[in-house]
């Protein structure tokens, strides 16, 4: 039972434009959400996170939005760069315990 | 910076072999995890440990075991490797001191079982 879902397996965006990656979750007990970036043959790298008490968190070109009522979060990358081409995973953690749940990933291609 | 080191980047093993994947972290983290990543399936949790000698099953523990004899080291063991265990294996760690602490991953071990 997939508690964190990324329904778009892939996304292509022109360089300089905005990339929007989406993630939905089903468990209302999740209170901490994260985005990871992964290049082939490397481990995932932490990008940005958000606590459930917030609805937005920014770090440079990356912004994460959380809509708790819709159980939806999104990652915005502005402006997109070719080096952003990678697989992006969203993840969530319950407010009890240390287990993290991951989505299936979205492969982003930024076209120069 | 947190460093999570996995002992091998690539491994090729034969069916039936016993396989050890080693992971070491240098940040005194209490919590350590083993995931496998497969195309279309994302990251799936195999086992995790929240303290020395403690372990918890994740979503797909069958065919695997783990060992945590020291705080910095978490080993994944494939008792008798099978071809369906060909995958990318990822080790991760996180601390308990700060509540909202992200997972930090190693570079992964690409295991092929023939």
């Amino acid at each position: 039972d997939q508690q964190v879902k990324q329904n778009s397996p892939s996304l292509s965006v022109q360089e300089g434009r905005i990339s929007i990656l989406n993630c939905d979750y089903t468990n209302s007990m999740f209170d901490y959400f994260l985005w990871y970036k992964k290049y082939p043959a490397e481990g995932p790298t932490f990008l940005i996170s958000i606590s459930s008490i917030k609805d937005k968190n920014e770090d440079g070109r990356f912004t994460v939005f959380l809509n708790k009522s819709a159980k939806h979060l999104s990652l915005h990358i502005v402006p997109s760069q070719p080096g952003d081409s990678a697989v992006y995973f969203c993840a969530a953690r319950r407010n009890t315990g240390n287990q993290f749940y991951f989505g299936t990933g979205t492969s982003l291609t930024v076209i120069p | 910076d947190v460093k999570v080191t996995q002992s091998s980047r690539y491994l090729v093993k034969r069916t039936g072999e016993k396989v050890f994947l080693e992971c070491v972290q240098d940040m005194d983290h209490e919590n350590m995890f083993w995931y496998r990543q497969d195309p279309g399936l994302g990251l799936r949790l195999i086992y995790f440990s929240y303290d020395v000698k403690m372990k918890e099953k994740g979503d797909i523990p069958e065919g695997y075991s783990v060992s945590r004899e020291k705080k910095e080291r978490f080993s994944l063991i494939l008792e008798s490797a099978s071809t369906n265990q060909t995958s990318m294996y990822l080790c991760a760690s996180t601390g308990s001191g700060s509540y909202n602490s992200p997972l930090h991953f190693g570079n992964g071990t690409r295991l092929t079982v023939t």
Side-chain angles (χ1 to χ4, degrees):
Chain A
D1 181 28
Q2 194 79 25
Q3 298 187 55
V4 178
K5 299 176 185 178
Q6 293 176 257
N7 292 318
S8 297
S10 62
L11 175 68
S12 290
V13 170
Q14 289 284 342
E15 181 179 4
R17 307 293 289 268
I18 184 170
S19 294
I20 300 176
L21 295 96
N22 293 304
C23 180
D24 297 295
Y25 61 95
T26 58
N27 193 332
S28 58
M29 304 293 281
F30 289 150
D31 70 342
Y32 180 50
F33 303 89
L34 312 91
W35 284 95
Y36 285 83
K37 173 181 180 180
K38 187 180 183 300
Y39 293 119
E42 293 185 12
T45 302
F46 169 68
L47 265 181
I48 191 168
S49 63
I50 187 166
S51 162
S52 59
I53 63 173
K54 295 185 174 182
D55 55 17
K56 177 182 173 182
N57 189 28
E58 276 184 87
D59 184 1
R61 297 186 297 115
F62 302 92
T63 303
V64 56
F65 295 92
L66 176 62
N67 182 334
K68 289 186 288 294
S69 61
K71 293 191 177 69
H72 177 83
L73 68 156
S74 61
L75 175 69
H76 292 208
I77 306 173
V78 184
S80 301
Q81 300 173 354
D84 296 329
S85 298
V87 177
Y88 290 78
F89 291 97
C90 69
R93 190 201 62 200
R94 260 196 335 242
N95 57 7
T96 55
N98 281 309
Q99 191 167 344
F100 291 75
Y101 298 83
F102 283 81
T104 52
T106 296
S107 178
L108 173 66
T109 302
V110 180
I111 304 162
Chain B
D1 263 3
V2 177
K3 191 162 179 66
V4 179
T5 303
Q6 295 183 230
S7 54
S8 304
R9 293 298 300 272
Y10 300 94
L11 272 181
V12 180
K13 297 292 182 181
R14 294 196 181 275
T15 301
E17 278 193 81
K18 190 168 186 174
V19 181
F20 293 85
L21 303 183
E22 306 286 348
C23 175
V24 177
Q25 50 92 5
D26 66 355
M27 282 301 293
D28 203 36
H29 282 166
E30 293 80 8
N31 306 297
M32 296 188 74
F33 305 78
W34 275 105
Y35 288 88
R36 62 178 281 178
Q37 184 205 354
D38 300 288
L41 297 177
L43 276 66
R44 294 180 293 165
L45 181 64
I46 305 170
Y47 268 96
F48 65 102
S49 168
Y50 52 89
D51 203 350
V52 176
K53 297 193 185 296
M54 306 302 289
K55 61 184 179 184
E56 294 281 347
K57 292 181 180 178
D59 298 319
I60 51 164
E62 296 80 17
Y64 303 94
S65 62
V66 290
S67 172
R68 186 128 182 242
E69 296 296 319
K70 294 185 177 181
K71 191 174 185 180
E72 68 270 18
R73 187 179 297 271
F74 192 35
S75 303
L76 180 69
I77 303 151
L78 286 66
E79 297 290 342
S80 176
S82 64
T83 55
N84 63 11
Q85 292 179 309
T86 291
S87 187
M88 169 71 94
Y89 289 87
L90 295 161
C91 175
S93 72
T94 188
S96 296
S98 171
Y99 183 63
N100 285 341
S101 177
L103 279 177
H104 298 272
F105 283 89
N107 271 331
T109 297
R110 170 68 67 183
L111 173 67
T112 302
V113 182
T114 61

